[in-house]
Amino acid sequence: MNFRQTAARVGLLAAGLAVVAGGAGVAHADMDRYTSGSHSWRTGSGEGAPNGMAAVMDTKADGNPVYTRYNRNYPSTELYSLWNKNGEGTKSYSGAGGVIWDMKACVSLSAASDDCSNWWSDDH
């Protein structure tokens, strides 16, 4: 297991413990993905659009932008990207839409392949 995989698993474990302890920053997210520098999740956007917004947060002060890749069941099934280039601790949110059913979190690395989590997929 390389450093990135270990760091991603440690981050995922810490986030899971925070959820169990009730201290998670995103209390109602049901789809979470993590890397060693980013966190993405889906969140409800109110009546008529449950789980209809994607969010991504930069979790590391490394100067690398983060993004999430996701698709939804409406208005089309195309693959979307949501970027956050504002630095550590900042969050970006997509507009509301259909249910997001696949998602992964990524860190954009200029000198190497991007560091991305595995896909999370709901049955659809």
Side-chain angles (χ1 to χ4, degrees):
M1 182 178 309
N2 67 32
F3 175 76
R4 284 186 188 167
Q5 290 172 324
T6 301
R9 288 184 180 182
V10 168
L12 183 57
L13 176 61
L17 291 173
V19 169
V20 170
V26 183
H28 300 290
D30 67 336
M31 178 183 279
D32 286 295
R33 295 283 80 192
Y34 295 88
T35 67
S36 62
S38 68
H39 171 206
S40 66
W41 66 96
R42 71 177 179 190
T43 184
S45 58
E47 270 187 55
N51 303 316
M53 292 174 62
V56 64
M57 179 178 182
D58 190 333
T59 62
K60 191 174 184 181
D62 58 9
N64 294 319
V66 299
Y67 62 97
T68 185
R69 300 280 289 167
Y70 64 98
N71 63 36
R72 54 173 85 232
N73 66 350
Y74 178 84
S76 71
T77 57
E78 72 181 82
L79 192 59
Y80 295 90
S81 296
L82 174 65
W83 284 84
N84 181 343
K85 300 177 181 181
N86 298 318
E88 182 186 23
T90 61
K91 301 173 187 174
S92 295
Y93 295 90
S94 72
V99 174
I100 295 169
W101 63 44
D102 296 311
M103 173 178 276
K104 70 178 178 177
C106 297
V107 177
S108 180
L109 303 172
S110 59
S113 297
D114 290 354
D115 178 19
C116 294
S117 70
N118 293 331
W119 283 94
W120 174 298
S121 296
D122 274 348
D123 295 327
H124 52 285

